[in-house]
């Protein structure tokens, strides 16, 4: 029997392992890897947000990177204008969630089918890409932040809340971003065990039946869509802080594809799977890219096709299923033995 | 007066361009309800066919009009047999698999030809002048080709045996297969034809835009939006959506510069889909093809 949603206790166990990892990381990895990790954490928050909206809400959002990019741009613009990062992070999450709510209203209340939704979200992301690429020139600016067109705009580093002079060091930034990832993970893990989350899961399983039970499925879908967009915006913040600038490439087709690939590989219906997949695939493609042996697109495309055809449920659910099967087998063996014993006794 | 005429011509060209890049996708979507995310890469492959062929001394008209559709049609056939046919009825998996395919194509072409293009073929045909304004002769030729292409698809669907069978499959594939039509074969033919049309479109656009491995991304957003707004009828849908969205894009591009043209296009499409979730042909011209 496959569980429809994870247990909150499992989430906490994973979160405490992650805390342990955070504390040990500086003594295991080189300093350079720690700096890279901040970007990857940003990306894995994106993967988490897609895992939430697709794996649990059943909303097939192909353009999750649109919200990720909006978060990154909103953070950069806001941090330059207000001169501090704490408020800018909130603005980034709000901007992404607001945009998602507006878009979601048209999409969910129009009752568009899954495929239409996928294509529309992807198109939104692509059009943002071509829009942001055309914003080079001094006339395109918000406050004192130039949007910078193709080259993008610089993202200020994080600072101590309330004191915009005290910038965080790379190691501290790593701690903060890891903390944000763990918080987002625990929040998402908690959300799917609440009533709201359960209704979302039931919409994923059978939308018609859920609406016949009296739930306004449009509203629930809109809700989980907006929440996940906010989380994606948070991912965008840490990504652009890690890279120190944000370019229109966050909206590109490749970025959207990456998010989908992480979730497919990690598995729909889990939250930790896509996060782990992000880390593994990021370092895999980075090492492949540095060796110049194979084109990254080629590898990612191959992975996507192979997973869709052969491992459609993803790595983590497949492993979980295998364990379940083994447990069931063991259990049935025990039962068989007990029955045999009983028979033996009754005969004897 | 000349200004308005030239502007009108630009808008008509925009509409034709939109119809051209969406038709291949619309054929596949209308027939099989499959959204082919590798559509942009089919266009790109058409472009590369033309560039490679002309560099090897083959006549440019021959390579655009014959070679590009032929090569990409064959690629479409292979893709359908190896990948798509296993995924019928699994729409989301089809989307994902074709997306993987699109990345694969980009990767393969980048490995072979490099990330940038070295040769640009200049558009054949000169310019024509309307009063004070000049217009490219090749753009007029494109408009002409699109009209011919739409007519060709219409005549094929309406008056040939293949068209009749295809329409039957489109309306009710279960019933069609009960009547002894091999729907799998029809799907195979449709997918390759759709790919061939995309290849032709890519070949036709190559002299205007040049070719790059990731040039497909420029087209697919607009193509998806056009097809979805049009709805399931192949011809009526593509034509009506192209006219509406192409005009919006053209007018907005003229008023604000190219920056907001595409945004206006997307915005119109999203409002349109809120009002008519099944597209224009889901609401109007329901009996059309």
């Amino acid at each position: 029997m496959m569980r429809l949603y994870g247990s909150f206790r499992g989430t906490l166990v994973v979160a405490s392992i992650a805390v342990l990892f955070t504390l040990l990381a500086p003594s295991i990895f080189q300093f350079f890897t720690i700096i890279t990790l901040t970007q990857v954490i940003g990306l894995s928050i994106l993967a988490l947000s897609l895992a939430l909206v697709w794996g649990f809400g059943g909303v097939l959002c192909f353009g999750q990177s649109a919200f990720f990019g909006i978060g990154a741009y909103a953070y950069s613009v806001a941090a330059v204008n207000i001169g501090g990062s704490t408020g800018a992070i909130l603005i980034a999450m709000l901007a992404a969630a607001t945009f998602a709510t507006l878009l979601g209203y048209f999409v969910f209340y129009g009752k568009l089918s899954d495929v239409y939704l996928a294509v529309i979200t992807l198109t939104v992301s692509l059009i943002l890409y071509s829009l942001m690429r055309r914003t080079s020139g001094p006339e395109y600016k918000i406050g004192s932040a130039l949007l910078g067109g193709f080259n993008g705009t610089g993202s200020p580093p994080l600072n101590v809340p309330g004191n915009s002079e005290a910038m965080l060091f790379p190691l501290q930034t790593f701690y903060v971003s890891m903390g944000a990832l763990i918080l987002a993970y625990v929040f998402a893990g908690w959300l799917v065990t609440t009533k709201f989350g359960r209704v979302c899961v039931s919409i994923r399983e059978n939308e018609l039946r859920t609406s016949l039970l009296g739930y306004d499925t449009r509203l629930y879908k809109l809700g989980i869509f907006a929440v996940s967009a906010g989380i994606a915006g948070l991912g965008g913040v840490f990504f652009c802080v890690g890279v120190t600038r944000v370019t229109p490439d966050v909206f590109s087709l490749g970025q959207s594809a990456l998010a989908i690939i992480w979730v497919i590989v990690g598995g729909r219906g889990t939250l930790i799977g896509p996060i782990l997949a992000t880390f593994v695939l990021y370092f895999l493609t980075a090492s492949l890219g540095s060796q110049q042996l194979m084109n990254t697109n080629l590898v990612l495309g191959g992975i996507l096709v192979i997973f869709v055809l052969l491992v459609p449920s993803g790595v983590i659910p497949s492993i979980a299923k295998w364990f379940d099967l083994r447990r069931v087998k063991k259990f049935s063996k025990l039962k068989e033995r007990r029955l045999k014993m009983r028979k033996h006794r009754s005969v004897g | 007066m000349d200004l308005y005429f030239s502007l009108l011509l630009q808008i008509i060209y925009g509409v034709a361009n939109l119809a051209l890049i969406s038709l291949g996708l619309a054929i596949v979507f209308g027939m099989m309800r499959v959204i082919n995310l590798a559509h942009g890469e089919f266009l790109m492959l058409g472009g590369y066919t033309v560039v490679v062929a002309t560099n090897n001394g083959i006549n440019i008209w021959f390579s655009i009009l014959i070679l590009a559709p032929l090569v990409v049609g064959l690629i479409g056939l292979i893709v359908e047999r190896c990948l798509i046919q296993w995924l019928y009825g699994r729409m989301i998996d089809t989307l994902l698999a074709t997306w993987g395919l699109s990345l694969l194509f980009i990767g393969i072409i980048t490995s072979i030809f490099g990330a940038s293009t070295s040769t640009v073929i200049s558009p054949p045909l000169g310019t024509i002048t309307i009063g004070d304004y000049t217009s490219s002769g090749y753009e007029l030729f494109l408009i002409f080709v699109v009209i011919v292409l739409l007519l060709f698809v219409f005549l094929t669907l309406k008056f040939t045996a293949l068209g009749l069978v295809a329409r039957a499959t489109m309306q009710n594939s279960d019933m069609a297969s009960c009547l002894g039509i091999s729907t799998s074969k029809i799907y195979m033919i449709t997918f390759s034809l759709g790919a061939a049309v995309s290849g032709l479109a890519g070949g036709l656009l190559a002299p205007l835009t040049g070719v790059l491995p990731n040039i497909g991304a420029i087209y697919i957003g607009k193509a998806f939006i056009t097809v979805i707004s049009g709805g399931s009828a192949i011809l009526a849908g593509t034509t009506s959506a192209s006219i509406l969205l192409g005009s919006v894009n053209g007018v907005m591009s003229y008023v604000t510069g190219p920056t907001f043209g595409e945004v206006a296009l997307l915005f119109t499409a999203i409002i349109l889909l809120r009002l008519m979730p099944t597209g224009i042909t889901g609401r109007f011209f329901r009996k059309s093809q």
Side-chain angles (χ1 to χ4, degrees):
Chain A
M1 174 66 195
M2 228 195 100
R3 266 172 306 177
L4 291 178
Y5 41 83
S7 66
F8 190 51
R9 214 175 50 192
T11 308
L12 287 181
V13 170
V14 174
S16 44
I17 294 173
V19 171
L20 213 66
F21 168 78
T22 315
L23 296 176
L24 289 178
S27 48
I28 301 172
F29 297 116
Q30 290 168 343
F31 188 60
F32 177 71
T33 316
I34 293 286
I35 297 177
T36 322
L37 270 175
T38 306
Q39 309 172 23
V40 190
I41 289 164
L43 294 170
S44 66
I45 297 178
L46 169 64
L48 171 74
S49 74
L50 188 61
L52 179 67
V53 75
W54 185 13
F56 288 87
V59 176
L60 188 57
C61 179
F62 271 16
Q64 193 73 5
S65 64
F67 311 125
F68 177 75
I70 286 172
Y73 267 101
Y75 167 80
S76 306
V77 168
V80 167
N81 280 318
I82 60 181
S85 64
T86 318
I89 293 177
L90 290 178
I91 289 175
M93 290 175 71
L94 266 181
T98 313
F99 184 77
T101 312
L102 287 176
L103 178 65
Y105 165 74
F106 284 102
V107 176
F108 296 125
Y109 281 68
K111 294 227 157 170
L112 294 183
S113 71
D114 272 358
V115 177
Y116 279 27
L117 177 84
V119 171
I120 284 186
T121 46
L122 182 62
T123 311
V124 166
S125 172
L126 286 173
I127 285 186
L128 281 172
Y129 177 57
S130 58
L131 177 69
M132 291 316 291
R133 277 169 68 117
R134 293 213 189 94
T135 56
S136 53
E139 70 271 26
Y140 294 105
K141 60 177 179 180
I142 301 173
S144 54
L146 281 174
L147 289 177
F150 192 67
N151 294 322
T153 182
S155 313
L158 297 177
N159 59 263
V160 177
N163 181 1
S164 61
E165 296 303 305
M167 300 296 180
L168 295 187
F169 292 110
L171 189 62
Q172 292 164 323
T173 310
F174 167 72
Y175 284 138
V176 172
S177 50
M178 203 62 202
L181 171 63
I182 293 169
L183 270 181
Y185 173 69
V186 171
F187 172 73
W190 168 76
L191 192 68
V192 296
T193 57
T194 58
K195 189 188 169 210
F196 172 78
R198 285 168 192 217
V199 174
C200 286
V201 170
S202 81
I203 291 172
R204 178 193 73 185
E205 294 297 314
N206 192 334
E207 180 163 358
L208 182 65
R209 190 178 289 178
T210 315
S211 64
L212 289 177
L213 285 172
Y215 295 102
D216 187 354
T217 55
R218 301 170 301 180
L219 193 65
Y220 279 90
K221 278 175 142 182
L222 185 61
I224 197 151
F225 191 61
V227 168
S228 94
I231 297 176
L234 182 71
V237 171
F238 289 105
F239 178 73
C240 73
V241 166
V243 185
T244 66
R245 68 184 304 113
V246 47
T247 65
D249 281 339
V250 288
F251 295 118
S252 70
L253 193 62
Q255 187 64 52
S256 309
L258 273 175
I260 296 284
I261 290 171
W262 295 325
V263 176
I264 286 280
V265 171
R268 280 161 279 181
T270 76
L271 292 171
I272 190 67
I275 295 177
L276 291 177
T278 312
F279 279 89
V280 171
L281 284 179
Y282 183 88
F283 286 103
L284 184 76
T285 49
S287 62
L288 277 175
S290 61
Q291 283 168 353
Q292 299 282 327
L293 269 176
M294 273 215 266
N295 186 281
T296 327
N297 278 322
L298 200 70
V299 176
L300 289 175
I303 289 176
L304 186 51
V305 172
I306 288 168
F307 266 82
V308 170
L309 287 178
L310 302 179
V311 204
S313 57
V315 170
I316 297 280
S318 296
I319 294 175
K321 213 191 226 167
W322 184 74
F323 269 108
D324 272 2
L325 264 179
R326 234 178 57 149
R327 211 174 52 201
V328 167
K329 253 186 204 160
K330 217 173 172 184
F331 186 68
S332 60
K333 241 183 219 161
L334 271 175
K335 209 171 167 187
E336 220 169 78
R337 203 181 294 158
R338 221 176 291 151
L339 273 175
K340 238 183 225 165
M341 291 280 281
R342 210 174 289 162
K343 222 183 248 172
H344 191 71
R345 236 177 271 147
S346 64
V347 168
Chain B
M1 191 59 217
D2 292 344
L3 171 70
Y4 288 114
F5 190 68
S6 154
L7 186 64
L8 184 70
L9 199 63
Q10 269 309 307
I11 290 176
I12 292 175
Y13 169 66
V15 171
N17 189 336
L18 217 50
L20 185 64
I21 59 177
S22 332
L23 189 60
L25 189 69
I27 290 174
V28 174
F29 178 66
M31 283 294 298
M32 300 150 68
R33 288 288 178 280
V34 162
I35 294 254
N36 173 20
L37 275 169
H39 174 68
E41 279 57 47
F42 282 162
L43 292 166
M44 179 267 285
L45 289 171
Y48 268 96
T49 311
V50 171
V51 169
V52 170
T54 44
N55 282 351
N56 287 319
I58 295 171
N59 181 294
I60 184 164
W61 295 110
F62 179 74
S63 43
I64 289 179
L65 296 175
I66 312 280
L67 221 49
L70 209 62
V71 169
V72 181
L74 270 179
I75 295 173
L77 183 70
I78 297 168
V79 166
E80 205 277 342
R81 281 294 97 180
C82 297
L83 189 67
I84 313 284
Q85 69 155 330
W86 308 111
L87 298 170
Y88 285 127
R90 289 158 61 188
M91 267 171 108
I92 291 162
D93 286 344
T94 318
L95 279 179
L96 294 168
T98 49
W99 200 345
L101 199 68
S102 118
L103 292 176
L104 265 178
F105 279 142
I106 295 175
I108 291 169
I109 294 294
T110 316
S111 325
I112 299 175
F113 296 99
S116 58
T117 172
S118 49
T119 47
V120 180
I121 32 176
S122 57
L125 301 176
T127 55
I128 51 158
T129 38
I130 306 159
D132 299 336
Y133 299 91
T134 57
S135 177
S136 144
Y138 192 67
E139 291 186 357
L140 286 181
F141 172 69
L142 273 188
I143 297 173
F144 172 71
V145 171
V146 170
I147 294 170
V148 170
L149 204 59
L150 288 172
L151 261 179
F152 176 73
V153 173
F154 174 72
L155 293 176
T156 312
L157 277 175
K158 194 86 185 174
F159 295 111
T160 63
L162 175 70
L164 184 68
V165 175
R167 277 186 292 152
T169 313
M170 196 162 116
Q171 274 185 7
N172 191 335
S173 62
D174 289 341
M175 199 62 216
S177 60
C178 284
L179 292 173
I181 298 167
S182 165
T183 45
S184 147
K185 202 182 274 170
I186 292 294
Y187 285 152
M188 183 182 85
I189 295 172
T190 321
F191 195 85
S192 344
L193 277 181
V197 170
S198 312
L200 177 66
L204 282 166
L205 291 170
L208 288 175
T209 56
V211 285
L212 281 172
N214 55 3
I215 198 164
I218 300 177
Y219 302 124
I220 55 162
K222 283 192 274 188
F224 287 151
I225 281 292
T226 312
V227 169
I228 286 187
S229 312
S232 55
I234 297 175
L235 275 175
T238 315
T239 318
S240 55
S242 304
I243 290 174
L244 176 68
L245 299 176
S247 318
V248 168
N249 189 9
V251 172
M252 278 306 283
S253 298
Y254 176 72
V255 174
T256 65
T259 314
F260 293 107
E262 275 177 33
V263 178
L265 185 152
L266 176 73
F267 199 67
T268 317
I270 288 179
I271 303 247
L272 183 90
L273 284 172
R274 174 72 183 87
L275 300 173
M276 322 174 199
T278 43
I280 299 174
T281 51
R283 172 71 64 93
F284 308 111
F285 330 107
R286 268 189 218 167
K287 290 271 163 72
S288 54
Q289 288 117 38

